[in-house]
């Protein structure tokens, strides 16, 4: 079975979502199905069909989360060190075209969130950064053409 790398924080978020789906969402949708059934003819009951569709989504997500959690390989960035970029690294870059500084943490696929400056290990930028170190320059393919970044710092926090 292939392991899924993620941070401890990412694993906690998945476990919280699973707990919420099991304890809140699943019972709520079961009540909604029961209520819709009480309205009579199920063949033309939009509430019933919507509730069943929601139930299907919830059960699918529960299965997905259970599998992710069972295959999780927790890697704590604070326990890592070195000068080369790897999973968990927080990297400060400067865009050589705009001179804009940006900072990203490289995390697992299921915890990536660009709004929180967390990029997936499988993203083009992360793939370009892995193995590099402070002072290196990387070129990343982008829809508008290649972007070039200089690595200003690498931290494991």
């Amino acid at each position: 079975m292939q392991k899924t790398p993620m941070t401890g924080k990412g694993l906690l978020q998945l476990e919280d979502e699973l707990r919420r789906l099991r304890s809140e969402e699943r019972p709520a949708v079961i009540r909604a199905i029961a209520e819709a059934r009480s309205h009579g003819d199920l063949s033309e009951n939009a509430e019933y069909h919507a509730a069943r569709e929601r139930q299907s989504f919830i059960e699918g997500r529960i299965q997905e989360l259970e599998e992710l959690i069972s295959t999780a390989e927790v890697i704590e960035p604070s326990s890592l060190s070195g000068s080369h970029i790897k999973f968990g690294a927080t990297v400060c870059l400067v865009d050589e075209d705009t001179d804009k500084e940006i900072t990203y943490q490289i995390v697992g696929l299921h915890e990536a969130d660009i709004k929180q400056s967390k990029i997936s290990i499988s993203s083009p930028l992360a793939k370009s950064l892995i193995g590099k170190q402070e002072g290196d320059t990387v070129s990343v393919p982008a829809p508008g053409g290649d972007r070039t970044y200089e690595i200003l710092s690498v931290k494991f926090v």
Side-chain angles (χ1 to χ4, degrees), residues 18-154:
L18 180 60
R19 197 172 6 267
R20 183 183 52 76
L21 287 172
R22 285 180 175 161
S23 64
E24 296 172 20
E25 299 288 332
R26 184 186 267 167
V29 80
I30 290 170
R31 286 191 299 275
I33 290 171
E35 165 116 11
R37 275 193 180 138
S38 70
H39 295 304
D41 184 13
L42 298 181
S43 65
E44 295 181 15
N45 189 330
E47 288 177 21
Y48 174 77
H49 293 291
R52 288 298 304 238
E53 192 173 303
R54 177 76 179 140
Q55 181 185 36
S56 177
F57 171 79
I58 290 170
E59 294 303 325
R61 183 64 179 157
I62 286 172
Q63 282 184 326
E64 181 183 10
L65 289 171
E66 287 172 342
E67 185 175 329
L68 283 172
I69 290 168
S70 72
T71 62
E73 179 181 356
V74 176
I75 300 170
E76 283 303 331
S78 59
S79 68
L80 302 173
S81 63
S83 60
H84 288 80
I85 298 170
K86 54 190 158 212
F87 180 90
T90 300
V91 184
C92 183
L93 309 167
V94 63
D95 185 323
E96 293 193 340
D97 295 333
T98 64
D99 286 335
K100 181 180 175 189
E101 283 189 25
I102 46 176
T103 302
Y104 293 116
Q105 181 181 18
I106 300 173
V107 296
L109 177 65
H110 301 284
E111 56 188 317
D113 184 352
I114 198 68
K115 292 177 184 169
Q116 294 180 3
S117 297
K118 294 181 178 187
I119 59 171
S120 166
I121 186 104
S122 61
S123 70
L125 177 57
K127 286 179 179 179
S128 297
L129 291 170
I130 298 294
K132 303 291 191 278
Q133 58 188 359
E134 192 174 306
D136 287 352
T137 301
V138 295
S139 181
V140 182
D146 286 2
R147 304 294 302 247
T148 306
Y149 299 96
E150 181 184 343
I151 301 167
L152 298 179
S153 68
V154 179

